[in-house]
Amino acid sequence: RKWQFHALLDLIVNSENMAVVAGDLNLRDSEAKKEKLINEVRDAWAECHGKFDLTHKYTWDTVSNHNLNIKSKIRMRMDRVYLNKKVRGKVHEFSLLGKEKMLEGYYPS
């Protein structure tokens, strides 16, 4: 996982054509911070919400999503979007969908 993350960042940092890496990377914040190329890319989530906005911080949250009946409280940010710093412009919106229960009483995730 960490090696793959490094390889992806290396691709966008050193590419003239590749601009975005996005997805469920299963990467913990502590692992992302240790990556030596992390300061060479833009974090779309942080640009929109700031690093300390706890209302938008977690993309895996067993406190608010009870689908799996997990007893422990797990709150992590697994989904990430990184941009090449060469990309101009501002990220205007970044939101997590599926935070409301469907009619059947389950979350869509």
Side-chain angles (χ1 to χ4, degrees):
R1 169 178 74 225
K2 292 182 274 186
W3 178 87
Q4 290 171 327
F5 182 56
H6 175 78
L8 287 170
L9 292 190
D10 188 53
L11 276 174
I12 65 169
V13 166
N14 294 305
S15 174
E16 292 298 321
N17 302 319
M18 189 174 195
V20 178
V21 168
D24 180 355
L25 303 181
N26 283 331
L27 195 72
R28 283 110 180 113
D29 286 337
S30 60
E31 294 169 333
K33 288 176 190 172
K34 290 178 184 174
E35 169 52 51
K36 61 184 176 182
L37 293 175
I38 198 68
N39 292 322
E40 303 301 318
V41 294
R42 295 170 48 197
D43 183 341
W45 192 271
E47 283 187 27
C48 283
H49 301 295
K51 294 182 180 183
F52 304 106
D53 180 356
L54 296 181
T55 59
H56 295 95
K57 183 170 176 70
Y58 308 112
T59 61
W60 186 34
D61 186 355
T62 63
V63 174
S64 62
N65 183 331
H66 309 288
N67 280 357
L68 298 177
N69 294 320
I70 296 175
K71 300 286 184 225
S72 57
K73 295 179 180 178
I74 302 168
R75 296 182 123 179
M76 293 186 195
R77 176 182 162 207
M78 297 295 198
D79 302 271
R80 297 169 184 273
V81 175
Y82 292 104
L83 305 170
N84 186 320
K85 279 192 172 180
K86 299 171 194 160
V87 173
R88 294 183 183 177
K90 180 176 173 13
V91 179
H92 293 281
E93 184 177 344
F94 193 120
S95 59
L96 183 63
L97 303 176
K99 293 183 86 171
E100 294 81 29
K101 288 184 179 180
M102 297 184 302
L103 294 175
E104 296 83 3
Y106 294 100
Y107 294 95
S109 61

